[in-house]
Amino acid sequence: MSVAQFHHFQTPPLSVFSLLSSFYLSLFFCVIRRMVFSASLYQASTSSSFLHERSLSSSSSSTLLTAPPLFFSPSTLSGKQSCSQNKLVVHAKRLSGLEEAMRIRRERELRSTRKFRRRPPLRRGRVSPRLPVPDHIPKPPYLSSSLLPELSPEHQIHDSEGIIKMRAACELAARVLNYAGTLVRPSVTTNEIDKAVHQMIIEAGAYPSPLGYGGFPKSVCTSVNECMCHGIPDSRQLQDGDIINIDVTVYLNGYHGDTSKTFLCGNVDDPLKRLIKVTEECLERGIAVCKDGASFKKIGKRISEHAEKYGYSVVERFVGHGVGTVFHSEPIILHHRNEKPGCMVEGQTFTIEPILTMGSIECVTWPDNWTTLTADGGPAVQFEHTILITRTGAEILTLC
Ligand SMILES: *[C@@H]1O[C@H](CO)[C@@H](O)[C@H](O)[C@H]1NC(C)=O
């Protein structure tokens, strides 16, 4: 279950950062284009003289490297320079051919990525009363208040005994999530999924962490189609072609394990399947940079790079978090490009849980104060693992 970023980190400097990087990228292509354009203009006007001029120049390639190609103009070129010009045309053409091929491929992919049956807008169903939890199951401390707990400032770094308990909680969360996924099919309600998840968790002697957290009324988050996260299970039946993220957190022996996946309901359109695949890959790539001493900002960089390749956007509002004896703590894990300082430490546990959209990352929250949708109604996909930082990498704890 992700944390909403209200006060922690402001986004403007980050947006400026990503604006700058895309600015430099387009500047680069602009330069290439201008090189090709002015060079081919020149070639057109002098192509007849190239053949005999070529023999005049032999040592001009070094001038190419030192002279800024953007500013030459055909009228000022001597014969000697014109030949390096010719080489430039060849190189620039090759580059521009590559750029053009990449652009065409990207556009074709984007077109096929975006065309899909528009899903009907998500509507709120009826939310059933809270399910009871047997007395013998230990409860987390936040149940005493319906206010959202403050994010704990302490990083959660475990000794070997703590790691064993983290493993157990996370493994249970993963088993529950897998089971929940088997229930996804048309006509099943998210409330039925909640009930099944609740039952399995209490049978394992654990507490469903979302239940009562900041007043959350159910045992699991079920986020359908354009719901980014924190969907409340209700009487809505899943429809053929829906996608649904199920986010399971369990509290076992004093430790939380947190994981989520997006599942397909019936026949899902290919563009949506691709968004799902890429989001899962983003999570894997984010995890791949983790190890003792690595900086947190690498996670956002990797995830953004991969998402951008497909023209997808990374949601900034919801972030990963430290997890362990406390449900939500520092470090905040940003999934987008950022300059947040800080490094990972061996024995530390936190979640990575990127949400990707096909377009805007603006969101709207329903009056229930939880359910958050994309403002443009486009689909959103999320995947999440709890990981343990080791000396050489990261161990995914929420596997079974
Ligand atoms: C949502 O939050 C607002 C402002 O904090 C509060 O007034 C309202 O009662 C909350 N709604 C629910 C359903 O909890």
Side-chain angles (χ1 to χ4, degrees):
M1 193 177 186
S2 54
V3 175
Q5 244 202 128
F6 293 110
H7 321 288
H8 308 295
F9 292 93
Q10 299 306 315
T11 48
L14 313 171
S15 309
V16 169
F17 178 76
S18 53
L19 266 179
L20 269 181
S21 58
S22 54
F23 171 74
Y24 282 124
L25 199 66
S26 34
L27 188 69
F28 170 73
F29 281 128
C30 241
V31 167
I32 298 286
R33 268 200 205 103
R34 282 188 64 171
M35 283 162 65
V36 175
F37 183 65
S38 23
S40 28
L41 265 186
Y42 179 71
Q43 192 189 28
S45 64
T46 58
S47 53
S48 57
S49 57
F50 260 124
L51 273 177
H52 73 266
E53 271 174 354
R54 171 165 297 177
S55 56
L56 292 177
S57 80
S58 51
S59 61
S60 53
S61 58
S62 58
T63 59
L64 232 189
L65 293 172
T66 51
L70 188 56
F71 304 111
F72 62 68
S73 102
S75 58
T76 60
L77 288 173
S78 71
K80 197 173 171 185
Q81 281 167 316
S82 75
C83 196
S84 40
Q85 192 57 48
N86 192 23
K87 285 179 190 165
L88 186 63
V89 172
V90 175
H91 283 290
K93 271 193 175 155
R94 255 187 224 145
L95 262 172
S96 97
L98 193 66
E99 185 209 345
E100 187 64 6
M102 278 166 63
R103 189 183 61 75
I104 289 170
R105 197 181 132 192
R106 182 86 33 90
E107 276 183 4
R108 192 186 303 134
E109 279 182 3
L110 283 185
R111 265 200 306 277
S112 72
T113 298
R114 277 152 212 280
K115 257 199 230 151
F116 60 99
R117 287 175 292 159
R118 187 99 185 161
R119 314 291 310 158
L122 196 62
R123 299 260 179 261
R124 183 78 198 263
R126 197 171 26 79
V127 179
S128 63
R130 262 188 198 211
L131 296 172
V133 178
D135 287 342
H136 72 269
I137 290 177
K139 315 285 188 302
Y142 48 75
L143 297 186
S144 52
S145 163
S146 66
L147 294 177
L148 201 62
E150 285 283 307
L151 185 88
S152 162
E154 65 183 292
H155 287 226
Q156 307 194 55
I157 299 160
H158 309 277
D159 57 16
S160 55
E161 199 179 312
I163 289 172
I164 289 169
K165 288 182 174 167
M166 268 313 279
R167 280 213 179 93
C170 289
E171 201 234 46
L172 174 62
R175 279 197 291 119
V176 172
L177 178 61
N178 273 2
Y179 169 60
T182 66
L183 305 174
V184 172
R185 62 174 180 277
S187 87
V188 166
T189 67
T190 46
N191 190 46
E192 286 166 325
I193 295 173
D194 178 73
K195 259 196 215 162
V197 163
H198 181 89
Q199 195 59 32
M200 183 170 174
I201 293 172
I202 60 175
E203 272 169 18
Y207 182 90
S209 310
L211 185 62
Y213 179 82
F216 193 85
K218 289 283 153 190
S219 302
V220 66
C221 298
T222 51
S223 305
V224 174
N225 297 339
E226 70 266 39
C227 183
M228 283 181 179
C229 63
H230 299 167
I232 299 173
D234 63 17
S235 59
R236 183 189 182 278
Q237 292 183 317
L238 292 176
Q239 311 288 313
D240 184 57
D242 279 350
I243 57 171
I244 175 175
N245 174 278
I246 302 180
D247 191 339
V248 172
T249 311
V250 305
Y251 183 64
L252 178 67
N253 297 323
Y255 287 77
H256 296 273
D258 190 357
T259 182
S260 88
K261 262 185 201 176
T262 298
F263 297 96
L264 313 176
C265 178
N267 298 302
V268 169
D269 288 357
D270 286 342
L272 273 177
K273 282 188 189 158
R274 178 199 283 270
L275 178 64
I276 291 174
K277 178 169 171 281
V278 172
T279 308
E280 189 165 21
E281 287 167 1
C282 280
L283 172 58
E284 286 160 7
R285 281 168 198 236
I287 293 172
V289 301
C290 294
K291 64 171 188 175
D292 182 54
S295 55
F296 290 115
K297 66 184 179 195
K298 272 187 170 180
I299 297 173
K301 181 168 183 285
R302 272 306 164 82
I303 290 174
S304 302
E305 280 169 356
H306 194 59
E308 283 160 11
K309 268 192 241 162
Y310 298 86
Y312 298 147
S313 312
V314 180
V315 169
E316 300 180 4
R317 172 69 176 276
F318 296 96
V319 297
H321 52 89
V323 62
T325 55
V326 179
F327 191 177
H328 291 133
S329 79
E330 290 283 355
I332 284 296
I333 304 296
L334 305 178
H335 305 112
H336 55 283
R337 283 182 209 280
N338 68 89
E339 287 299 321
K340 183 179 180 265
C343 291
M344 305 165 200
V345 177
E346 186 175 357
Q348 179 170 42
T349 48
F350 57 84
T351 71
I352 303 181
E353 43 186 311
I355 304 173
L356 265 62
T357 71
M358 288 182 179
S360 163
I361 56 168
E362 298 303 309
C363 53
V364 289
T365 301
W366 279 355
D368 61 27
N369 292 344
W370 285 105
T371 313
T372 302
L373 313 181
T374 55
D376 64 6
V381 171
Q382 183 175 32
F383 279 84
E384 172 182 18
H385 275 307
T386 299
I387 63 168
L388 165 71
I389 299 305
T390 67
R391 199 171 51 75
T392 55
E395 182 184 329
I396 300 175
L397 297 180
T398 35
L399 289 178
C400 61

